[in-house]
Amino acid sequence: MAANNSGSEPPIPEDDEGLGGVTHEEEAAEAKGKAPAASTTTMNRSGSRPQLDLSGAAIHGTLEDRNPTILLPNQSDDISHLALDIGGSLIKLVYFSRHADQPTEDKRKLSTKRRLEIFTGARRSYPVLGGRLHFVKFETGKLNECLDFISSKQLHRGGVDSPSWRSGAQPDNIVIKATGGGAFKYADLFKERLGVSLEKEDEMDCLVAGANFLLKAIRHEAFTHMDGQKEYVQIDQNDLFPYLLVNVGSGVSIIKVDGHGKFQRVSGTNVGGGTYWGLGRLMTECKSFDELLELSQRGDNSTIDMLVGDIYGGLDYSKIGLSASTIASSFGKTISDNKELSDYRPEDISLSLLRMISYNIGQISYLNALRYGLKRIFFGGFFIRGHAYTMDTISFAVHFWSKGEAKAMFLRHEGFLGALGAFMSYEKHGLDDLSAHHLVERFPMGAPYVGGKIHGPPLGDLNEKISWMEKFVQKGTQITAPVPMGAPATTGMGGFERPTSKGDILRSDASAALNVGVLHLVPSLDVFPLLEDPKTYEPNTIDLDHDEFKYWFTILSDHLPDLVEKAVASEGGTDDAKRRGDAFAHAFSAHLARLTEEPAAYGKFGLANLLELREECLREFQFFDAYVSIKQRENEASLAVLPDLLMELDSMDEEDRLLALIEGVLAANIFDWGSKACVDLYNQGTIIEIYRMSRKKMQRPWRIDNFDTFKSRMLKKDQPYKRALISVDNAGADVVLGMLPLAREFLRRGVEVVLVANSLPALNDITANELPEIVAEAAKHCGILRKAAEAGGLIVDAMAGIQGDAKDEPASVPLMVVENGCGSPCIDFRQVSSELAAAAKDADLLILEGMGRSLHTNLNARFKCDALKLAMVKNQRLAEKLFNGNIYDCICKFEPVS
Ligand SMILES: CC(C)(COP(=O)(O)O)[C@@H](O)C(=O)NCCC(=O)O
Ligand SMILES: [Mn+2]
């Protein structure tokens, strides 16, 4: 270990505290059973855990599987998926919960899985256990609340759902991994209250393991913060090491990280968070660190610090790049002022202290980066706590001294590095194998309320959640009301500009810190193999900047009453449903308000995330399919006219038919209950009237019109497509009169068709579960569909349940339905179902339909196969912004690979 260069006394690495987590009431507010399905798998244990009980082990799945799941019926589930970081002021908990419900493999999924083996030749295996990783924090002063929380959830015994808890058995010798000073200090109390032993893990090991995990597994974990602007950084997994990790606790540790478990504490400084808080406490009346930090928001350091301008008569010292407002000497002005401490404003003292210490940390960190030739410096620890001035000051120092060569970056989960690292130290938990595409971060309903404060009792089920919600509804209007925003404040690249307008603007960062959600581990997600370049792929077409967010805030808020009405009706309109509808509206409004206040609060957040958040929020309040009856009604009406449409199409020649088919898809995409303009239309006419009108309006050229190129490609007889992945959108006319006839055209040409639909409902989108029945119904009127659906097993699946043996399957599958892994109107191709990823093998055409999947997302996405993007633009602003066009314009964008 290299010598410490900060002074005679090596600084003691102190507890690493951080705000920015989810408070326990929010976390506990998470609803059960809403996560996507995960596969069951076994879990190895740490040496300190009870050993595996292999008796009665049985293979789950077919014997031909290369990596089958093994069920251990006698294995008690008392694994502690819990780790702690007990610091001086906060206790951080990271714990793992399985999905409340084991996945039920429905009929469609089982038969699809079997058929996909034809494509892939082998079944996939998932070494990672599906579940959720939760981040919770408590004040160390309220340790008892933390113990109650652990006890109420039985986290030390593998959770309330574990067999040992249910059987009432008391496993002895439970060991929980813990780091931080409190792991020593409170060990006896944990033994006494919970009967568990704390196994102490080295703090430095934990910090590094936590940081490595986050940087590897979370897509936008790191961000820069310069001049008040936060920007998320995508870290290249293959180019992560070496980096410098600076942990700013009470003291500061500077660690050079060379790999997993490979690191060296190369330096540190004893001037850290403890110094700020200690000096601040002596010099002001502040009673807490947060109070002191809050005070700095209203401070003006130029009354205390000697600035370059003070020395140079108000001028910059431009020759060496120092602006007049750069601090020449921290607290330097006080030497000549002839004033007492009480003559200075505590606000100014706090800001001067904060800047002095932040700047010093930034400078020392940079010098160490220089010493080892490192370009990336990640800062974490309780001192940072998402505070804008702190981050700006550190960034300024690094940027200034490195002349822009080195980058200061901060971590969203900065407060949880130690606890995560302790969690990682359980020998085999399967998390090592996780990649970013396996993790989905969700923000439960409490997320908007999270601040620096920790409050409220833990919550269990939905009823408790709603009473908690109601409490908030009463006193939380100021939280749900949008907070006025100004231009982002800056400390100024030119140095330590006096923060002119503070308070409100930096409020969110200062008091609330960044939210972190619950990490859902979904091992069955994959990167779509046909993405041209997954590294540079960005699903969202438009950046949700301040103005854009304001627009979508209005759109989504306006849509809320209609959505709630549909949601409540879908649950029978009962009092309970009304109550949940109300709570949903409040929770979603609170999310919107929080994001308006701080657009980066939930990490890098695009329109796709926002639309998905709405769906997740509905599910959280147990509205699983708000548009169910609308979908059914429209499916029936459309199926009734399908035979006539097919007859009309069959009477056309090939070229006319192709055009009519694409027109049909575009026209039927008007049936979108997520668009305000369309909903207004539905209130004026019947489905069929609107469909006819929409078809009549199909005038070419469309706003983007690559139809002729597509037609030429389709007509190349010597080069037919082999397999088309057809991603469908809305129920009713959209799928029945638009997409199914198009799919039929491919089948007619001998092209294998894979219909891709949502895994979970989103607005009026058709789901993969609903689709086989619709295909079966349509097949009654069409020989082509019937033959393909029968051969693909769809009709049997839909009508009679799964059939026998995989041996009976045909060698090729003309028509299949696969789920896409999403529960949103958009699609992020970095995270699709393994079904879809498997079906993509050998596909040479991808068709994306609808605004959500081909305009809001993926308009600019490039694929390794030909792609056809079809949508009607049902929003005036989007039509103008993307295409300089108008509402109801149509897009037919064909992108052949060669
Ligand atoms: C939610 C949607 C993306 C669904 O569109 P789809 O994918 O079904 O074509 C779209 O309806 C939408 O962007 N609606 C909000 C804009 C508006 O109401 O004008
Ligand atoms: Mn849709």
Side-chain angles (χ1 to χ4, degrees), residues 20-22 26-27 30 133-136 412-413 440-444 447 514-520 601-602:
V22 183
E26 163 184 2
E27 130 60 31
E30 199 188 340
L133 213 48
H134 308 248
F135 301 86
V136 191
R412 287 188 56 231
H413 292 80
V440 182
E441 189 175 15
R442 301 222 183 280
F443 295 89
L514 293 173
N515 283 341
V516 295
V518 175
L519 285 182
H520 291 235
Y602 296 171

Side-chain angles (χ1 to χ4, degrees), residues 69-264:
T69 299
I70 298 171
L71 285 183
L72 303 176
N74 301 325
Q75 176 59 46
S76 71
D77 233 353
D78 54 355
I79 319 159
S80 291
H81 305 120
L82 162 71
L84 302 159
D85 177 1
I86 312 176
S89 51
L90 286 177
I91 305 177
K92 279 80 57 178
L93 265 74
V94 171
Y95 73 91
F96 180 83
S97 67
R98 283 160 199 260
H99 293 303
D101 304 319
Q102 279 306 319
T104 44
E105 296 262 314
D106 61 59
K107 287 184 240 160
R108 191 203 59 79
K109 269 191 194 147
L110 285 172
S111 62
T112 304
K113 235 184 202 173
R114 219 170 44 222
R115 286 182 197 104
L116 285 172
E117 283 167 44
I118 297 165
F119 292 173
T120 57
R123 190 176 288 199
R124 304 167 37 78
S125 73
Y126 307 115
V128 188
L129 189 75
R132 301 173 200 177
L133 213 48
H134 308 248
F135 301 86
V136 191
K137 62 182 190 259
F138 290 84
E139 286 172 19
T140 309
K142 294 177 185 161
L143 181 61
N144 276 330
E145 272 188 18
C146 171
L147 293 167
D148 289 346
F149 179 76
I150 295 172
S151 170
S152 69
K153 287 193 159 262
Q154 289 290 299
L155 296 178
H156 55 307
R157 294 167 63 195
V160 284
D161 294 327
S162 74
S164 69
W165 164 238
R166 277 188 249 121
S167 70
Q170 282 289 345
D172 35 86
N173 195 26
I174 299 176
V175 182
I176 305 284
K177 299 275 191 179
T179 189
F184 295 85
K185 194 169 165 186
Y186 300 113
D188 290 346
L189 192 61
F190 272 80
K191 187 80 197 170
E192 202 181 291
R193 282 279 318 269
L194 301 173
V196 301
S197 309
L198 296 184
E199 186 167 309
K200 287 94 186 161
E201 290 294 322
D202 177 72
E203 209 161 329
M204 216 63 61
D205 286 341
C206 289
L207 285 175
V208 172
N212 280 346
F213 170 77
L214 290 167
L215 290 168
K216 177 177 163 240
I218 315 260
R219 193 166 281 119
H220 292 112
E221 174 63 22
F223 60 92
T224 57
H225 203 289
M226 287 283 277
D227 300 337
Q229 295 294 332
K230 189 178 293 159
E231 225 163 89
Y232 287 96
V233 182
Q234 179 128 20
I235 306 287
D236 181 351
Q237 286 319 300
N238 303 319
D239 186 26
L240 172 62
F241 304 113
Y243 68 83
L244 204 64
L245 179 63
V246 181
N247 186 56
V248 193
S250 300
V252 183
S253 287
I254 301 182
I255 306 160
K256 177 173 176 272
V257 183
D258 291 300
H260 294 290
K262 276 168 58 188
F263 66 91
Q264 198 188 1

Side-chain angles (χ1 to χ4, degrees), residues 551-552 555-556 607 611 614 669 671-677 729-730 734 763-765 825-826 849-853 856 872 874-876:
Y551 174 74
W552 284 97
I555 285 282
L556 297 181
L607 184 51
L611 292 171
R614 179 172 64 179
N669 192 233
F671 293 99
D672 162 15
W673 283 88
S675 147
K676 168 95 175 53
D729 179 5
N730 303 313
D734 195 346
L763 292 163
N764 61 320
D765 289 352
C826 299
E849 189 227 353
M851 235 168 112
R853 295 171 190 86
H856 290 326
M872 179 187 275
K874 291 151 289 189
N875 174 281
Q876 178 64 29

Side-chain angles (χ1 to χ4, degrees), residues 43-52 79-80 172-177 199 201 422-429:
M43 187 111 173
N44 296 312
R45 284 117 197 262
S46 134
S48 58
R49 313 297 323 141
Q51 294 302 299
L52 285 178
I79 319 159
S80 291
D172 35 86
N173 195 26
I174 299 176
V175 182
I176 305 284
K177 299 275 191 179
E199 186 167 309
E201 290 294 322
F423 188 91
M424 301 302 289
S425 71
Y426 285 115
E427 254 162 41
K428 286 267 180 345
H429 37 55

